[in-house]
Amino acid sequence: MITVELAKLFKRPRMYVIVALLCLLPFIVAIFLATTRIPPPPGQGGAFLSAVLSNGALYPAAALALVLPVFLPVAVAVLAGDSIAGEATGGTLRYLLIRPVGRTRLLVAKLIAQVAFVLFAIAAVVVTSYLTGVLMLGTGESTTGGVVLLPPDVTSLSGDLISPGELALRLLGTIGYITISMLGVAAIALFLSTLTDSALGAAMGALATLVTSQVLVTLDAAESVKPYLPTRYWLAWIDFFRDPILWRDIERGAGLQFVYVAVLLGAAWANFKTKDIGS
Amino acid sequence: MSVARRETGRRWFLVAAGVSALAAVPAVLAARPQPASALGPADLVERVRRSGRVPFEGYAESVGVLGLPELPRLGAVTSLLSSNTRLRAWFGGPERWRVDVLEAGTERGTYRDADGVWSWDFARDEITYVPVSGEEHVALTPDGREITIMATPGESPGRLPRGADLLPSDLGRRLLGLAAGEPLAALHGRRVAGIDAAGVRITSADEHSTVGHLDVWADPDTGLPLQVELTARNAERPILATRFLDLALRTPAGSALARPERAADVALEGAGGNPADFFDWDPEGMPGTIAGKFAKEQPTVTDPSGQRWTRSDFSPFRVYGTGLTQFVVVAIPDRFGNDVYRAAADWGQPVQVSSGRAVILATPLVSVVVAQGEGRGRGRPTYLATGMVDGVFMDAVGKELAVLRR
């Protein structure tokens, strides 16, 4: 079942269009930065954007900061919202379930397909933005005397130097954390997708939840509920670039997303398990 | 009821039970009973006073809702009291510590080591260094006692506030030091960063104080302040609150305390961050009393070479009053005077003065007055006074500062 869902995901051209759009935004920003060399004022603009002018090897971090707040959640919500409701709208859900396929397994397979999409999308953003950063913004002097082109050490948020190998590890950690963060979005959209036959409705419902959460995160009056909001720890991946790494919010963010996944997947299962399938 | 519907109901019940159990976890943890501390409030304050060398590492958050506008060159200071600040700290001792102010996508770190204070700002890609000479002067006080004073040209006691000052450990000790002699009362203990903390409440007896109460919770064993709340008079919620969320009472690893590696390849900028670079350093030109409050005594000492030193040799400010109603007066350099006055006038109320001009900004906790004497253009002497005193009192301060001559 999982293999089928993964194959279905990677055979759809729209998935590649979405990933290309995700990669395009950092590329456009890099063009402007490389041609004007005007960094955002200190403390303003996207995270890491002022730092990438001195070393483009850090551009993947800046690119993730650009796509994470809006583009990536929208993409995940649209695809996850389509996962069950899209099958229902297309009239394929009935045939899918006629096969000896458990509904719980179908839900889990749909969620795993979302994980695969997020991993693929973020990896694509990291790779393309790394190449964009290194080629367009430059990396300063090579530390290997030109034998092998490696970027020089980049500066962490704490002012310490991060070697290329360590940077790769921290980017891997970032990819993992953002994937977990997007699991919550996928779970919300997947649950809503079991409630309605409208893929658009499910995606909009998930996005409305996220926008509400983002608004409350910035509201001092909502301080008491902030630790439980799905977007509260989204930016905690930035803490991978501090020295030493600040694990506090990363751990809490990952834990919170797993709670959301457990609850919403449970709710999706409770609703979908014996739901009448009319289409 | 059909079998399918019963099954659906059973599954929803399971989900609801799981959600309820998860939602109850924070409430259950918060409801754990707190053991009462046998420590009296005076003993706790004394223990806090002696906690300056307790090593720790931790994470703290402060929330300030003071509502002060940004004044030119002082924006970083006012924002500390008017916003949320995330802090990560490693404290190995008074001469070996590090505090990072964490923001989304950037970081400002302050490092103290044997050579001085290093300030790192990622957003500005800038590191500044304030040397601490560590030069000792054995000196005699006027009454003949021998004391040792440390010449610290950069790290002045009168420096501008920085994020590290909002750490509960530092702020708690500092405020309790200011409040010496004010009435004390015990508070219920509370669990802070996993430690059962004992609490003390300080109220101000002065009618002009804006402080309703100062609450400090500290570790009863070490005296380390863990949570500090400053509440304005007649207010229900704290205007400034800071607390540790994670804390480990252990000596931090040397690697965490090491100054940023970028410090090695950045040109030193001398005494950056020293307010003497910005303010006119003329505390002797200020009067001995303002609005009936005496200037704080300037202890005079003489080193073996015969050089006389006062506290003001290390501080460009002059402090008046006692207890929590102390206020500080700063002489603003002529080149910034008009800018500061205009910024204050945009937000504040004018003060009726016999000559010159003055404007006051009164918040529930802190009042600020900016006064300019007679003069033209950039030649007008400008003073800024601020403290936890009410607008009526600060109005009187403004009247006196506006007629000062420099």
Side-chain angles (χ1 to χ4, degrees), chain B residues 40 46 60 86 90 133 145 174 222 243 248 258 287 307 322 342 349 363-364 372 386-387:
Chain B
E46 178 58 21
R86 299 166 64 215
W90 296 263
S133 74
R145 285 180 295 115
R174 196 180 295 263
T222 62
R243 66 174 175 144
Q307 171 75 44
T322 56
R342 271 197 295 270
Q349 297 292 322
T363 72
Q372 282 195 311
T386 182

Side-chain angles (χ1 to χ4, degrees), chain A residues 55-152:
Chain A
N55 192 337
L58 199 56
Y59 197 58
L64 289 173
L66 289 171
V67 300
L68 179 63
V70 181
F71 268 36
L72 193 57
V74 167
V76 172
V78 166
L79 286 179
D82 185 59
S83 52
I84 300 293
E87 301 274 10
T89 307
T92 52
L93 184 58
R94 199 171 3 176
Y95 301 108
L96 191 64
L97 295 174
I98 286 172
R99 294 192 301 171
V101 172
R103 296 189 181 193
T104 308
R105 279 183 63 198
L106 179 66
L107 282 175
V108 172
K110 293 283 187 188
L111 191 66
I112 289 174
Q114 292 306 311
V115 173
F117 163 72
V118 174
L119 275 172
F120 179 73
I122 299 175
V125 169
V126 167
V127 171
T128 55
S129 60
Y130 179 82
L131 294 173
T132 304
V134 168
L135 296 174
M136 295 178 69
L137 301 169
T139 60
E141 295 176 7
S142 168
T143 53
T144 57
V147 178
V148 178
L149 185 62
L150 277 178

Side-chain angles (χ1 to χ4, degrees), chain A residues 134-200:
Chain A
V134 168
L135 296 174
M136 295 178 69
L137 301 169
T139 60
E141 295 176 7
S142 168
T143 53
T144 57
V147 178
V148 178
L149 185 62
L150 277 178
D153 297 342
V154 299
T155 305
S156 73
L157 293 173
S158 309
D160 287 328
L161 302 179
I162 304 176
S163 67
E166 208 179 336
L167 177 66
L169 283 177
R170 292 185 192 222
L171 282 172
L172 279 177
T174 301
I175 291 172
Y177 181 77
I178 293 178
T179 304
I180 292 170
S181 297
M182 291 301 109
L183 269 180
V185 185
I188 294 169
L190 188 63
F191 166 60
L192 294 175
S193 187
T194 65
L195 293 179
T196 174
D197 287 349
S198 165
L200 185 63

Side-chain angles (χ1 to χ4, degrees), chain B residues 2 9 21 44 58 61 68 115 129 141 152 194 198 205 207 215 262 278 296 323-324 351 374:
Chain B
S2 70
L44 182 64
E61 287 184 2
L68 271 178
D115 295 329
Y129 170 58
T141 60
T152 55
E207 61 172 330
D215 297 344
R262 282 296 302 275
F278 170 55
K296 282 197 81 173
L324 289 172
V351 177
E374 292 290 352

Side-chain angles (χ1 to χ4, degrees), chain B residues 229-274:
Chain B
E229 291 182 357
L230 201 50
T231 306
R233 209 178 279 269
N234 302 323
E236 291 181 1
R237 302 174 70 86
I239 295 281
L240 179 66
T242 176
R243 66 174 175 144
F244 279 112
L245 297 176
D246 288 331
L247 184 71
L249 294 171
R250 60 170 179 246
T251 304
S255 57
L257 291 168
R259 71 180 71 144
E261 291 172 25
R262 282 296 302 275
D265 58 10
V266 176
L268 302 184
E269 296 188 1
N274 186 347

Side-chain angles (χ1 to χ4, degrees), chain A residues 41-43 47-48 50-51 54 58 155-162 191 195 220 223 226 228 232 235 238-239 241-249 252 259 263 266-275, chain B residues 4-5 7-8 10-12 14-15 18-19 22 26 59 61 63 65 84 86 88 90 98 100-108 111 120-125 245-246 255-256 258-263 265:
Chain A
F48 300 106
S50 55
S54 55
L58 199 56
T155 305
S156 73
L157 293 173
S158 309
D160 287 328
L161 302 179
I162 304 176
F191 166 60
L195 293 179
D220 288 341
E223 194 64 42
K226 274 184 192 174
Y228 313 110
R232 163 67 180 80
L235 292 178
I238 290 173
D239 294 342
F241 297 90
R242 304 187 193 278
D243 262 312
I245 293 172
L246 177 60
W247 292 101
R248 185 180 195 278
D249 283 2
R252 279 167 174 71
V259 168
V263 169
W269 164 78
N271 181 58
F272 187 61
K273 181 78 174 168
T274 48
K275 182 184 178 185
Chain B
R5 183 164 293 188
E7 273 296 297
T8 305
R10 190 180 63 83
R11 282 193 301 275
W12 275 112
L14 281 175
V15 172
V19 171
L22 287 168
Y59 173 86
E61 287 184 2
V63 180
V65 289
N84 295 9
R86 299 166 64 215
R88 189 159 62 146
W90 296 263
R98 165 186 171 187
D100 293 340
V101 176
L102 311 175
E103 294 170 13
T106 187
E107 185 170 312
R108 283 177 284 121
Y111 297 70
W120 161 253
D121 188 332
F122 178 83
R124 295 180 185 279
D125 193 22
L245 297 176
D246 288 331
S255 57
R259 71 180 71 144
E261 291 172 25
R262 282 296 302 275
D265 58 10

